[in-house]
């Protein structure tokens, strides 16, 4: 069900923690200056934010066991202020750890085969994936073994430890893109070719931030066994030619853009050809099989796909029916379901969970979902293997935790970065805007009438809240000492990926929620049958929205 | 007239602190020593001792207003640093 550390992994992580413990002690004694210590702490996921340190812990491709989640709860309770924040990269962040406690926290993490390695710095970061990996009906095969292979290949890889800039890889095998592969440095989609062989479609140069780009396809089909050699070729070209002279131009997307896709692809292919005599990275199937064995599907019970109790409850209980419609997704195995846990109760900070909630979800995972769960890039959690017959009981338990808000992919399922309430780089707050939008649209009936819509909010141009790919994107800026919010429309990170376009001048903080409401009302007025917000926008363009929006101000 | 103040984060907790008249550090912005723009660099230099003894990291100057005996940083970022997050986070208790 999930990768387990071998002796090499265990030793490596343990040695890292011991080294770090020593580094912290030397820093506390003044033997290391802040300048010397900073890169060392960052290499272990420890940032300095506005009010405190922040520790970012990697959750490889968002997969957690209940034991790991309990450990995350313990850390929240004993070393932080009783909560953690799940991020758009399927990681968790703690906002209040003390420096001296961080080696102990890392020791705790190591006990459950977790770490904070490469959650910062100009290296490959957490490899992210489809939160429905392995259970989705629309996937070709489980992408997680490849995530793990890439993770191992790029962890502490000497040649790729000082890339021009940070590097992010996402892998999916499904038709629906739930991993936003189009906006990653490398996006890998598992595909089948005409001969029925399985391989990768390779996208490079996607990314958000100051200069957003959708990834370019540089290979329609890469045979599976060539994955690492091809990745090596991409990283080598990037390492050599990426812009190290300018922080804002250092991501691979700029290299792809400046060279042009064709020229960039030629360089990759040439580097790849040149490495062909080196067979060490050719995946021969043995290591692949070893890794894949960790992800062997669980032994499912043979159950009927009909669940009369669930149907009966849904017929008589509208709240349950809403949750069933919104938060529960079809599983590939008959009689099972995928359950989304919304971390977006009305008016709360998106992605936050308390230690108690984490403990309780860990228990629910044990009781109802084979002891595992996933973190999504939209900052929710997923119980992936729930028997349909358990749905009613699970729903009741989630209601008690305030985790059953039936709003997945609806207007209150907002992605928001930490923004100026926590983040050192922020220009404006983002969580309070998310909370206000959530309160404004709290009425579920109205949310269902509005239908599928994605609002993404970032507190600065770095775009951790993925605002460029929100159907409605909100970017917080500072103008003359005041927060102001720029709105973009038409973005998406799904298969219909696009970068949103700015609709016009920014809005003052007190006006931004009204502006969102005006946009939504405009859509409701002009939509045609079956159109989502995004579809209407793409059909009619900016003008009708713009007219209504700026007429009001 | 706006004043200047030195702020930093403590090494141990990362907590936001302001330099006081005695050269110590307080988490309360109202305890911070305010100086004129001309005196600001000298004040900042005097923070070096606290960097050297590992009590604080990365001191820098901020602009503040003083009204009715209360200090208020000019920039929103610094107002939030002085007060803490403006949102209620979910607490365990
Ligand atoms: S987008 Fe900006 S404000 Fe938000 S977390 Fe990223 S760096 Fe911080």
């Amino acid at each position: 069900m999930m990768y387990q550390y071998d002796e090499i992994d265990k030793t490596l992580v343990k040695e890292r923690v011991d080294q770090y413990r020593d580094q912290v002690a030397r820093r506390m004694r003044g033997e290391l200056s802040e300048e010397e210590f900073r890169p060392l702490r960052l290499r272990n996921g420890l940032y300095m934010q506005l009010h405190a340190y922040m520790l970012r812990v990697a959750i490889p491709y968002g997969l957690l066991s209940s034991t790991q989640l309990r450990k995350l709860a313990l850390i929240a309770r004993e070393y932080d202020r009783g909560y953690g924040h799940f991020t758009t990269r399927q990681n968790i962040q703690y906002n209040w750890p003390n420096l001296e406690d961080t080696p102990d926290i890392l020791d705790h993490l190591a006990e459950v085969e977790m770490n904070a390695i490469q959650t910062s710095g100009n290296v490959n970061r957490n490899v992210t994936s489809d939160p429905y990996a392995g259970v989705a009906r629309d996937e070709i095969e489980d992408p997680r073994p490849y995530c793990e292979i890439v993770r191992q290949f790029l962890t502490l890889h000497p040649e790729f430890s000082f890339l021009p800039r940070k590097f992010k890889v996402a892998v999916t095998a499904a038709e629906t893109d739930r991993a936003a592969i189009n906006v990653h440095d490398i996006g890998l989609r598992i595909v089948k070719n005409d001969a029925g062989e399985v391989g990768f479609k390779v996208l490079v140069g996607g990314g958000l931030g100051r200069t957003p780009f959708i990834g370019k396809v540089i290979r329609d089909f890469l045979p599976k066994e060539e994955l690492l050699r091809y990745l090596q070729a991409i990283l080598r070209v990037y390492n050599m030619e990426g812009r190290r002279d300018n922080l804002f131009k250092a991501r691979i997307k700029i290299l792809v853009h400046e060279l042009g896709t064709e020229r960039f692809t030629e360089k990759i292919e040439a580097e790849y050809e040149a490495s062909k005599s080196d067979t060490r990275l050719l995946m021969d199937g043995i290591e692949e099989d070893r890794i894949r064995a960790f992800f062997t599907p669980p032994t499912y019970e043979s159950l009927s796909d009909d669940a009369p109790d669930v149907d009966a409850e849904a017929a008589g209980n509208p709240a349950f029916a809403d949750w069933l419609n919104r938060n529960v997704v079809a599983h590939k195995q008959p009689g099972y379901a995928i359950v989304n846990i919304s971390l977006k109760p009305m008016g709360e900070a998106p992605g936050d969970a308390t230690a108690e909630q984490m403990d309780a979800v860990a228990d629910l995972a044990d009781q109802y979902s084979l002891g595992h769960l996933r973190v999504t890039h939209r900052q929710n959690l997923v119980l992936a293997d729930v028997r349909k017959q358990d749905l009613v009981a699970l729903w009741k338990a989630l209601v008690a935790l305030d985790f059953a808000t039936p709003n997945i992919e609806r207007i209150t399922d907002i992605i928001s970065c930490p923004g100026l309430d926590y983040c050192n780089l922020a220009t404006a707050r983002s969580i309070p805007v998310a909370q206000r939008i959530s309160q404004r649209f709290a009425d579920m009936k109205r949310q269902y009438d509005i239908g599928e819509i994605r609002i993404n909010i970032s507190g600065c141009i770095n775009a951790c809240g993925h605002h460029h790919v929100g159907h409605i994107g909100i970017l917080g800026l500072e103008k003359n000492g005041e927060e102001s919010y720029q709105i973009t429309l038409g973005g998406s990170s799904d298969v219909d990926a696009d970068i949103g376009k700015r609709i016009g001048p920014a809005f003052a903080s007190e006006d931004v929620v009204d502006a969102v409401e005006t946009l939504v009302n405009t859509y409701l007025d002009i939509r045609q049958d079956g159109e989502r917000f995004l579809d209407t926008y793409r059909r009619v363009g900016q003008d009708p929205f713009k007219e209504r929006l700026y007429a009001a101000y | 007239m706006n004043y200047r103040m030195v702020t930093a984060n403590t090494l141990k907790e990362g907590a936001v602190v302001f330099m006081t008249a005695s050269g110590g550090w307080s988490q309360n912005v109202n305890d911070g020593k305010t100086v004129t723009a001309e005196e600001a660099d000298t004040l900042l230099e005097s923070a070096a001792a606290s960097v050297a003894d590992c009590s604080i990291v990365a001191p820098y100057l901020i602009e503040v207003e003083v009204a009715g005996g209360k200090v208020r940083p000019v920039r929103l970022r610094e107002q939030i640093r002085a007060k803490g997050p403006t949102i209620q986070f979910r607490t365990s208790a």
Side-chain angles (χ1 to χ4, degrees):
Chain A
M1 293 273 294
M2 79 189 296
Y3 179 73
Q4 272 155 14
Y5 282 11
D6 59 16
E7 278 313 308
I8 299 173
D9 299 306
K10 280 185 191 156
T11 310
L12 185 150
V13 171
K14 167 113 190 38
E15 283 176 2
R16 268 295 277 252
V17 178
D18 293 346
Q19 261 175 18
Y20 176 69
R21 185 179 292 284
D22 181 52
Q23 289 158 354
V24 170
R26 282 155 64 205
R27 175 70 185 106
M28 299 299 295
R29 291 196 300 266
E31 293 161 24
L32 289 174
S33 69
E34 186 60 16
E35 291 67 40
E36 289 163 328
F37 179 64
R38 191 169 171 274
L40 302 174
R41 71 164 155 77
L42 284 172
R43 292 202 155 247
N44 292 285
L46 191 67
Y47 290 71
M48 176 75 88
Q49 295 286 64
L50 282 187
H51 316 284
Y53 290 99
M54 179 273 279
L55 183 69
R56 180 180 295 149
V57 176
I59 302 177
Y61 30 95
L63 181 61
L64 278 174
S65 70
S66 55
T67 310
Q68 291 174 325
L69 185 59
R70 276 190 201 97
K71 187 63 101 175
L72 295 178
L74 176 141
I75 293 168
R77 190 180 298 114
E78 295 194 359
Y79 298 97
D80 207 271
R81 296 197 181 171
Y83 71 105
H85 175 75
F86 291 100
T87 75
T88 53
R89 300 219 69 258
Q90 301 177 306
N91 291 321
I92 187 169
Q93 296 181 175
Y94 293 105
N95 288 305
W96 307 96
N98 284 346
L99 176 58
E100 285 168 302
D101 290 336
T102 50
D104 292 343
I105 298 176
L106 295 184
D107 261 337
H108 274 294
L109 291 171
E111 277 173 26
V112 294
E113 306 189 352
M114 295 182 79
N115 62 68
I117 296 170
Q118 293 193 190
T119 60
S120 171
N122 294 336
V123 289
N124 183 57
R125 304 289 188 87
N126 191 22
V127 179
T128 54
S129 190
D130 184 352
Y132 301 166
V135 294
R137 282 200 175 162
D138 62 345
E139 90 181 358
I140 290 173
E141 68 171 70
D142 192 340
R144 294 171 302 174
Y146 300 100
C147 296
E148 180 56 30
I149 288 168
V150 173
R151 186 191 76 80
Q152 295 197 9
F153 177 54
L154 293 178
T155 296
L156 307 183
H157 189 306
E159 189 179 337
F160 305 130
S161 287
F162 294 93
L163 295 170
R165 197 76 180 86
K166 60 186 167 184
F167 204 83
K168 299 174 180 178
V169 180
V171 191
T172 187
E175 270 167 41
T176 311
D177 184 354
R178 289 171 290 258
I181 63 163
N182 285 290
V183 292
H184 280 76
D185 296 283
I186 294 181
L188 297 171
R189 176 185 290 284
I190 297 179
V191 290
K192 267 194 186 145
N193 66 6
D194 294 341
E197 296 155 340
V198 175
F200 297 94
K201 184 182 228 178
V202 183
L203 287 80
V204 178
L208 302 173
R210 194 169 294 260
T211 332
F213 286 110
I214 295 297
K216 312 286 184 299
V217 178
I218 64 163
R219 259 273 179 160
D220 282 312
F221 187 84
L222 177 75
K224 260 189 196 175
E225 59 275 15
E226 297 288 341
L227 175 64
L228 295 185
R229 273 216 291 229
Y230 205 75
L231 280 187
Q232 174 180 270
I234 297 171
L235 282 157
R236 281 195 167 154
V237 169
Y238 174 49
N239 225 0
M240 291 300 292
E241 304 208 12
R243 297 272 303 261
R244 290 175 190 268
D245 60 318
N246 182 338
L247 185 69
F248 300 130
K249 297 196 168 173
R251 294 290 288 267
I252 197 171
K253 62 188 175 184
I254 304 292
L255 182 65
V256 176
H257 178 69
E258 287 183 351
L259 286 173
T261 310
E262 203 173 316
R263 186 109 178 70
F264 177 83
T265 309
E266 280 166 21
K267 281 181 185 270
I268 303 298
E269 292 289 331
E271 179 63 44
Y272 169 58
E273 279 303 317
S275 70
K276 279 221 160 145
S277 58
D278 181 356
T279 51
R280 286 171 307 170
L281 287 182
L282 191 62
M283 295 192 329
D284 55 5
I286 298 172
E287 179 62 6
E288 204 181 325
D289 287 346
R290 187 183 79 87
I291 302 281
R292 188 176 294 117
F294 290 109
F295 298 91
T296 309
T299 324
Y300 291 113
E301 296 168 42
S302 36
L303 299 169
S304 158
D305 214 27
D306 298 327
D309 292 354
V310 173
D311 297 341
E313 183 74 18
N317 181 346
F320 174 74
D322 284 348
W323 178 80
L324 191 64
N325 284 334
R326 263 303 81 235
N327 293 22
V328 180
V329 176
H331 193 286
K332 67 175 187 189
Q333 178 73 19
Y336 282 80
I338 302 170
V339 171
N340 284 279
I341 298 178
S342 168
L343 299 189
K344 325 275 177 71
M346 297 309 139
E348 296 283 0
D352 280 8
T354 67
E356 278 68 30
Q357 286 171 323
M358 289 190 237
D359 273 336
V361 170
D363 291 347
L364 294 176
D366 280 341
Q367 202 175 347
Y368 298 116
S369 192
L370 307 174
H372 288 81
L373 67 153
R374 293 101 185 275
V375 183
T376 80
H377 97 272
R378 292 199 64 85
Q379 304 178 285
N380 291 313
L381 301 177
V382 166
L383 294 176
D385 291 300
V386 179
R387 297 186 309 181
K388 283 187 170 175
Q389 63 201 52
D390 293 332
L391 285 172
V392 178
L394 174 59
W395 172 73
K396 287 182 179 155
L398 289 171
V399 168
L401 289 173
D402 201 14
F403 270 176
T405 311
N407 61 347
I408 299 296
E409 293 178 358
R410 291 300 173 261
I411 194 164
T412 56
D413 185 7
I414 299 169
I415 290 185
S416 170
C417 80
L420 191 53
D421 282 298
Y422 295 102
C423 178
N424 224 345
L425 304 170
T427 40
R429 285 172 290 175
S430 41
I431 296 171
V433 176
Q435 291 175 315
R436 283 191 284 139
I437 293 172
S438 172
Q439 282 153 357
R440 177 75 60 95
F441 291 95
D443 177 16
M444 285 317 306
K445 267 215 182 71
R446 189 173 175 209
Q447 292 195 41
Y448 294 151
D449 182 32
I450 296 164
E452 183 187 328
I453 186 166
R454 321 239 165 150
I455 297 189
N456 295 357
I457 310 176
S458 305
C460 81
I461 193 69
N462 288 317
C464 305
H466 294 193
H467 65 275
H468 300 290
V469 289
H471 298 178
I472 297 180
I474 301 177
L475 164 63
L477 297 167
E478 185 182 349
K479 222 164 75 187
N480 308 324
E482 299 283 330
E483 289 165 302
S484 75
Y485 294 87
Q486 213 168 66
I487 294 183
T488 49
L489 296 184
S492 167
S493 63
D494 207 327
V495 278
D496 52 4
D498 201 359
I499 301 294
K501 296 205 174 37
R502 224 176 91 189
I503 180 90
F507 293 87
S509 178
E510 59 272 23
D511 296 330
V512 67
V513 180
D514 290 340
V516 168
E517 194 166 28
T518 304
L519 291 168
V520 169
N521 287 339
T522 309
Y523 151 72
L524 291 176
D525 289 346
I526 62 174
R527 70 176 164 189
Q528 294 178 351
D529 271 358
E531 272 184 350
R532 301 171 301 162
F533 178 90
L534 185 64
D535 304 325
T536 303
Y537 172 79
R538 288 186 175 171
R539 176 173 56 81
V540 302
Q542 284 202 334
D543 288 348
F545 291 97
K546 216 172 178 163
E547 276 161 29
R548 284 275 286 274
L549 199 53
Y550 293 100
Y553 295 98
Chain B
M1 178 176 112
N2 287 348
Y3 295 89
R4 302 290 184 277
M5 194 180 270
V6 175
T7 184
N9 291 74
T10 60
L11 174 67
K12 260 186 164 175
E13 302 88 5
V16 176
V17 286
F18 303 91
M19 194 180 196
T20 64
S22 62
W25 297 87
S26 167
Q27 294 195 27
N28 185 343
V29 70
N30 290 303
D31 296 340
K33 179 174 182 175
T34 51
V35 298
T36 62
E38 293 72 47
E39 300 161 327
D41 287 341
T42 315
L43 188 69
L44 183 59
E45 278 161 29
S46 68
S50 302
V51 173
D53 74 11
C54 294
S55 38
I56 56 126
V57 294
Y60 62 95
L61 289 163
I62 57 169
E63 207 177 328
V64 299
E65 299 162 347
V66 182
K70 292 263 178 224
V71 176
R72 183 172 175 272
V74 171
R75 300 260 326 260
L76 178 66
R77 174 184 197 275
E78 295 306 329
Q79 289 166 18
I80 292 176
R81 274 184 81 246
K83 276 202 200 138
T86 64
I87 46 175
Q88 274 269 301
F89 38 82
R90 293 188 218 178
T91 47
S92 287

